[in-house]
Amino acid sequence: MAPPTEHPHVVVHAPALDGSRRVTLGEEPLGVATHTDDVAEILRLADLYVTDVAESDLVEWQGGGPDDWPGLSEHHER
């Protein structure tokens, strides 16, 4: 019997002061997102096709969920 395959561990980190969020795969940086759609595109470019990044068990959201992008609207209004 084959050992279970390990799923990739994608982390969307807590928002930076400007509201952007780093996306990593293990220790490897994949990119910086400013919206949930960016996260999906970053994962697609890394050959990780996740249908719904907001609901996927492969994606860990730190410092807030997929709807938390604080700081972005405040910076655009100034």
Side-chain angles (χ1 to χ4, degrees), residues 9-71:
H9 184 70
V10 176
V11 177
V12 180
H13 295 268
L17 292 176
D18 67 356
S20 65
R21 300 174 78 163
R22 292 182 309 114
V23 181
T24 58
L25 174 61
E27 297 292 319
E28 179 185 355
L30 295 179
V32 177
T34 58
H35 189 271
T36 308
D37 292 341
D38 293 343
V39 176
E41 179 65 7
I42 289 168
L43 297 183
R44 186 190 68 77
L45 291 171
D47 290 329
L48 297 170
Y49 296 93
V50 178
T51 310
D52 184 354
V53 295
E55 298 295 324
S56 175
D57 291 340
L58 299 180
V59 180
E60 176 186 345
W61 294 85
Q62 295 181 347
D67 294 325
D68 295 316
W69 301 90

